[in-house]
Amino acid sequence: MNALPPSHGAVSLAVLRAVLAGSGTLAPADRLQTLVDAGCADLPLPGGGDTAARWRALAEVAAHDLALVKLYEGHTDALAILRELGAPEGIAGSTAASVWGTWAAEAPGARLTVQPGPDGMPRLCGAKSWCSGAQHVSHGLLTAWGPDGEGPQLVAVDMRQPGVGFCGDQWHAVGMEASASVDVLFQDVPAVAVGAVGGYLRRPGFWQGGAGVAACWHGGAVALARTLHTALARAPAAQRMPFRLAALGRVDRLLAGSAALLRETAQWIDAHPQEDARLAALRVRQTAEACAREVLDEVGRALGATPLCRDPAFARMAADLPVFIRQSHAERDDAAMGECLAEKAVAPWSI
């Protein structure tokens, strides 16, 4: 079989916005299918020369709905990984209309196992946690481990097969509730290996793709900031209270800095597609997370409880964003950045 075709290139933001506006009443999973069907989910590959366009699309979807972008990012990440690792077209029975989820988080003490079945095909047994949208996608790309602990092995699986079950008993979050995160239970389910054991982590796209979530967090912060900007832009000059203007100024500084680093990081990744992007990815993720936290605080303090209580879109975004950014590893990622920097002979902070 032939490898998957290359991505189509940058998605028109005007088309993306139109599709998002036309699907606003649908559930996130249905909106994702709409985006896939409209050709709005086949993005430029990370490190392929137009990473910034990829991230602009992620940020645009995030500004509309964070639960949706969680699913959208998982689908677009799966397509990028499959292409990078040379997966064949139609893997695991997929088609151009298939909707993917990517699930690589490893819950403590609960590893999904993979081992050869009677027909030689890999078989999955056990549970996979933190699987956003798993009940609604057609295919999954996930990490599993051999019985001897060897791994991780990336596998593709048709989620509509017998032996695939779901459990949402552990998910109690109010924020990101619509992302429909569940544990997936596999009972001797056929899968297809993607790449070699450990290849998922060793590939250049691991950190290149991991940096993309920063664009999602940035997009959520932009949505909140727009509410503050709109409130002040519509208010008569005499009612533009100084403390609200000051908040808008601080929000602008935060978002401008985050956006600049996203653009710079995208350019660096495109210029160095085969280099280790760990430091660059961690830096932009930590910056976007800090920006999102501060923007959420600034906008809430400036506008008070009114939008939280009377604006459903704002209230949902304000509830979703704190949960989503906890995908960051906080001080552990700061320490990982410090480790990367300590290995460099020269500090990289010159203008």
Side-chain angles (χ1 to χ4, degrees):
M1 300 179 72
N2 296 325
L4 290 168
S7 59
H8 296 158
V11 171
S12 164
L13 288 183
V15 172
L16 182 57
R17 288 166 183 156
V19 175
L20 287 168
S23 64
T25 60
L26 299 177
D30 295 325
R31 298 185 80 186
L32 175 59
Q33 184 69 67
T34 300
L35 290 171
V36 171
D37 293 343
C40 292
D42 198 2
L43 304 180
L45 300 181
D50 205 359
T51 300
R54 178 182 184 88
W55 291 358
R56 279 193 292 270
L58 291 173
E60 187 68 34
V61 176
H64 279 75
D65 186 333
L66 288 179
L68 171 61
V69 83
K70 179 66 175 173
L71 306 185
Y72 181 77
E73 192 266 341
H75 172 82
T76 56
D77 194 32
L79 296 184
I81 295 167
L82 290 169
R83 289 189 175 100
E84 183 179 8
L85 294 180
E89 186 176 359
I91 189 170
S94 62
T95 69
S98 296
V99 177
W100 289 82
T102 302
W103 310 305
E106 301 292 347
R111 281 183 170 179
L112 180 66
T113 60
V114 58
Q115 53 190 335
D119 55 2
M121 287 187 64
R123 300 276 178 149
L124 299 177
C125 295
K128 190 68 173 176
S129 300
W130 308 104
C131 299
S132 296
Q135 290 177 276
H136 305 288
V137 301
S138 62
H139 291 77
L141 195 61
L142 56 153
T143 50
W145 300 77
D148 57 356
E150 186 181 33
Q153 171 65 61
L154 192 67
V155 297
V157 60
D158 186 335
M159 297 295 291
R160 300 161 297 189
Q161 299 180 84
V164 180
F166 308 95
C167 177
D169 292 347
Q170 302 302 313
W171 184 259
H172 303 293
V174 175
M176 297 297 286
E177 180 182 13
S179 67
S181 183
V182 296
D183 293 351
V184 182
L185 311 177
F186 294 95
Q187 296 183 0
D188 197 33
V189 176
V192 181
V194 180
V197 173
Y200 169 74
L201 298 178
R202 290 193 299 266
R203 61 194 174 87
F206 177 77
W207 285 110
Q208 295 169 359
V213 74
C216 301
W217 299 340
H218 180 86
V222 166
L224 295 174
R226 284 174 179 163
T227 301
L228 175 60
H229 177 263
T230 299
L232 287 172
R234 292 177 178 175
Q239 296 180 15
R240 293 175 180 171
M241 300 178 186
F243 79 93
R244 286 181 172 166
L245 292 171
L248 183 59
R250 290 190 292 270
V251 163
D252 173 74
R253 169 169 50 81
L254 292 163
L255 287 170
S258 176
L261 185 58
L262 280 160
R263 290 190 293 268
E264 177 185 314
T265 304
Q267 291 171 359
W268 185 91
I269 287 173
D270 286 335
H272 306 85
Q274 296 303 313
E275 290 193 27
D276 183 0
R278 183 188 185 202
L279 176 59
L282 289 171
R283 182 190 291 130
V284 76
R285 284 167 59 108
Q286 291 297 85
T287 298
E289 186 223 337
C291 171
R293 284 190 286 107
E294 292 187 57
V295 168
L296 179 62
D297 185 58
E298 289 285 357
V299 174
R301 288 168 60 87
L303 295 180
T306 297
L308 290 167
C309 299
R310 296 187 175 182
D311 182 339
F314 182 94
R316 184 174 64 251
M317 187 70 68
D320 287 347
L321 189 56
V323 177
F324 198 174
I325 62 175
R326 289 279 50 83
Q327 189 173 330
S328 158
H329 299 126
E331 284 76 13
R332 284 179 292 171
D333 282 350
D334 285 335
M337 288 176 60
E339 182 180 27
C340 292
L341 289 163
E343 294 173 354
K344 293 184 176 294
V346 180
W349 302 317
S350 299
I351 296 176

